[in-house]
Amino acid sequence: VSAQRPLPSAYAAGTPSELRPLIDNCIEALRRLDQARCEQQVFSTDVAHELRTPLTAIKAQLQLMAPSFEQQGLLKQVAQLEGLTGQLFSLERMSARSPHLVPVRLDAIAREVAADLAPLLIAERRVLQVRGAAEPVTVSADEAALRHVVCNLVANAVKHGSGAISVHVFKDMAEGSARLTVASTSRLAGGGAPLLPVESFGASGKDGGLGLSIASRNMNAMGGALQVATDGPTVRVSITLRLMPD
């Protein structure tokens, strides 16, 4: 169902009269679902736009404050909100039209995100190592959306993990895909808390749920996937995209 493809208003030849009320009800229900979907897209895009300006103003005011533990904590929270609004905006932009998929260097995105998050890593006294193939790793993706996803995965590892963080980019030639994996030690390890599948992350934001949920939807929109796996205390969050020839 799509607003660009109106539903038929006429019946096929020979449609039994007793089925016509049922057909009418189905068509009306589909029209309402399509309208609700469009309204949700508009709402989400408006929210993302409206949040950007106050977040920028709050960040500017915080940066004028004398450095302190409280200031750094508030700056981190603002950065997380900026990441979420950026991902939400990318998702709704792609939902409104076909994703703008172009060749993107996944290995370059990983290095650039690591550089962008250097202040956060230093403040948290965390070490991040980017590893990958010696040759370029080019994928089919929406560059802005992919950057937001990778940034979110690393920021989640900083927030919910401990110790060193590893970002590994590699090719799977047999599958014709490329993968980026962010690995860290979970602070929940040993506490008996089960790792939830991506599909169960909700809007509560608990344990990074909202950010990973949006990231997963962004990956799906680009024809990719996001998976979460555990190996003892180590949590690995991976994204997979179609590999393009260099």
Side-chain angles (χ1 to χ4, degrees), residues 25-98:
N25 289 337
C26 289
I27 291 175
E28 180 60 25
L30 290 172
R31 284 199 176 112
R32 289 179 180 178
L33 284 173
D34 191 44
Q35 181 180 0
R37 179 185 60 81
C38 292
E39 290 174 352
Q40 181 187 22
Q41 288 180 353
V42 172
F43 174 76
S44 299
T45 303
D46 287 346
V47 167
H49 273 297
E50 292 298 323
L51 283 175
R52 282 184 168 183
T53 300
L55 283 175
T56 301
I58 292 170
K59 185 176 182 179
Q61 292 296 319
L62 287 171
Q63 289 173 336
L64 293 175
M65 295 171 57
S68 65
F69 179 79
E70 290 78 10
Q71 183 221 32
Q72 292 301 313
L74 290 171
L75 281 172
K76 285 191 293 183
Q77 292 183 29
V78 170
Q80 290 164 5
L81 286 172
E82 286 179 328
L84 285 176
T85 55
Q87 283 197 86
L88 183 61
F89 182 75
S90 295
L91 176 63
E92 296 308 326
R93 177 172 54 83
M94 288 192 294
S95 298
R97 59 171 176 78
S98 298

Side-chain angles (χ1 to χ4, degrees), residues 111-120 147 151:
R111 290 192 295 269
E112 291 164 9
V113 167
D116 291 342
L117 293 179
L120 174 62
R147 189 179 301 275
C151 185

